[in-house]
């Protein structure tokens, strides 16, 4: 147990220990060669000093010694100009020796603050040094180097490894980049094998982010992009293109974009919905309904597309069950009505030509569902009565279209229905075949992701 001192106000003499065992000597913080006390960096642009300072072997200054040092500094600051000139000359010689410069003329000059910090004279009055004649003569010497910070001598290179100095250097470089306001331009792709591969990967990365998968991708897409980039025909590089595309797709197969979504009006498609357009999958209701929304928008709502659940609701609950579906829609002012039918595992299409008062049936397998046509006729008559359209309460006829493109498998009925709807909405002939289905699937996938129909807007505006 420690015994407290009798009188705590009594200061211990130099070299003595107080009764409580604690020394009252002032501790001097350690410094590094290029930074201030406690490792804190000095102001940006300070000059590092490569002189190695030896560790003081427990030399602590007492209170009385500190007063003597302060008195000596005051005497030094009040000396004559001749003594100041000698001090400056000695400091310049010492700095040139530490930097290992070939001659004093080739050594860049140090500022007043830097010279004081390099020699430990932080408490000296720099204003008095600048007023001396010797200092003015020294400042008039020619400079052989533009900036000491930009052109560092070999003796200072080791100081830049300090973590504070490295951070300051990086900050200085970033500030210079921000001041220009311009980022470093990317080098153009070289017309070499490595340049072509890099261009392929960049295109595939952008494509994958835009469409969520490589389902709508074809080899001609990559070839067209490369031809535009390099302004050259690259048909002879198709083997390389195919190889790189397959390698890139295999690398992303284990990391699908499950979060990918496409939203348009009140419709939302997930990656699972869009995947129904891949290969031989069956197209689901979400894809059918959103594509019908795009058709209505592209035709300025002159064509009305019924939701795929409309027919099912009408059959289950009658006209009262779907009466509100057209509360804000005047069906008899439209040029064409498109009604998709999902009958168990098969898709068919019924269209209503309002001006000709004809109900048309389209089926990609040549099947006729007459009861479906009769149900749509009942709905049209009930709607005409509800909207008080006496002209459309009679005179309707049924037309079955048999000379239309037919599917040759059991998987593409939904894709055929969407292609029927697009061609009929823009009054195009039905000239596609089963062989076109892979291409049509990719095109529909892109149109859904881009939220617009391709190759139709210009034609519609012209008509």
């Amino acid at each position: 147990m420690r015994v407290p001192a009798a009188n705590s106000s009594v200061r211990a003499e130099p070299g003595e220990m107080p009764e409580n065992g604690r020394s009252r000597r002032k501790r001097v913080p350690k410094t590094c060669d290029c930074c201030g006390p406690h490792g804190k960096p000095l102001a940006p642009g300070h000059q590092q000093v490569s002189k190695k300072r030896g560790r003081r072997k427990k030399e602590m200054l007492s209170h009385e010694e500190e007063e003597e040092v302060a008195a000596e500094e005051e005497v030094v600051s009040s000396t004559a100009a001749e003594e100041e000139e000698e001090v400056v000359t000695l400091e310049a010689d010492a700095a040139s020796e530490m930097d290992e410069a070939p001659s004093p003329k080739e050594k860049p000059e140090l500022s007043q603050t830097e010279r004081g910090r390099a020699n430990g004279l932080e408490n000296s009055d720099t204003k008095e040094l600048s007023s001396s004649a010797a200092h003015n003569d020294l400042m008039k010497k020619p400079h052989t180097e533009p900036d000491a910070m930009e052109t560092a001598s070999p003796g200072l290179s080791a100081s830049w490894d300090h973590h504070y100095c490295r951070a300051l250097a990086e900050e200085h470089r970033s500030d210079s980049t921000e001041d220009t306001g311009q980022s470093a331009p990317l080098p153009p792709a070289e017309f070499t094998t490595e340049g072509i591969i890099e261009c392929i990967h960049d295109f595939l990365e952008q494509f994958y982010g835009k469409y969520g998968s490589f389902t709508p991708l074809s080899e001609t897409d990559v070839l067209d992009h490369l031809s535009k980039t390099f302004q050259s025909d690259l048909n002879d590089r198709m083997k390389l293109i195919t190889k790189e595309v397959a390698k890139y797709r295999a690398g992303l197969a284990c990391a699908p974009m499950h979060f990918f979504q496409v939203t348009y009006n009140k419709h939302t498609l997930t990656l699972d919905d869009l995947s129904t357009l891949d290969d031989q999958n069956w197209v689901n209701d979400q894809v059918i309904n959103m594509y019908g929304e795009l058709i209505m928008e592209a035709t300025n709502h002159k064509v009305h597309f019924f939701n795929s659940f409309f027919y099912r609701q009408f059959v289950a609950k009658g006209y009262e069950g779907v009466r509100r579906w057209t509360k804000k829609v005047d069906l008899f002012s439209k040029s064409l009505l498109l009604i998709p039918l999902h009958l168990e595992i098969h898709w068919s299409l019924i269209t209503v030509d309002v001006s000709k008062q004809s109900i048309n049936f389209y089926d990609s397998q040549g099947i006729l569902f007459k009861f479906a046509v009769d149900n749509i006729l009942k709905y049209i008559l009930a709607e005409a009565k509800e909207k008080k359209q006496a002209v459309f309460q009679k005179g309707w006829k049924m037309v079955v279209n048999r000379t239309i493109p037919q599917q040759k498998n059991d998987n593409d009925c939904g894709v055929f229905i969407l292609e029927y709807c697009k061609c009929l909405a823009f009054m195009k002939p039905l000239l596609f075949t089963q062989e076109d289905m892979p291409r049509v699937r990719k095109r529909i996938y892109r149109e859904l992701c881009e939220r617009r129909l391709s190759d139709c807007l210009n034609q519609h505006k012209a008509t």
Side-chain angles (χ1 to χ4, degrees), residues 334-380:
K334 308 295 182 180
S335 60
L336 184 67
L337 307 181
L338 302 174
I339 308 173
L341 308 177
H342 192 198
L343 305 174
E344 295 181 359
I345 58 173
H346 183 65
W347 286 98
S348 296
L349 176 67
I350 292 179
T351 66
V352 178
D353 191 331
V354 179
S355 60
K356 296 180 180 180
Q357 290 188 256
S358 63
I359 302 175
N360 301 268
F361 187 84
Y362 297 85
D363 188 87
S364 58
Q365 290 183 341
I367 304 174
L368 174 61
F369 297 98
K370 190 176 183 303
F371 66 90
V373 178
D374 294 338
N375 288 330
I376 296 300
L377 178 59
K378 293 179 182 178
Y379 169 77
I380 294 296

Side-chain angles (χ1 to χ4, degrees), residues 40 171 250 263 402 430 457:
K40 295 182 179 179
E171 182 180 357
T263 303
R402 298 187 182 277
L430 306 178
L457 297 179

Side-chain angles (χ1 to χ4, degrees), residues 192-207:
T192 60
T193 301
E194 292 77 9
I196 294 175
I197 293 176
E198 182 180 358
C199 188
I200 292 174
H201 290 177
D202 292 341
F203 174 77
L204 294 177
E205 181 180 0
Q206 296 177 2
F207 190 94

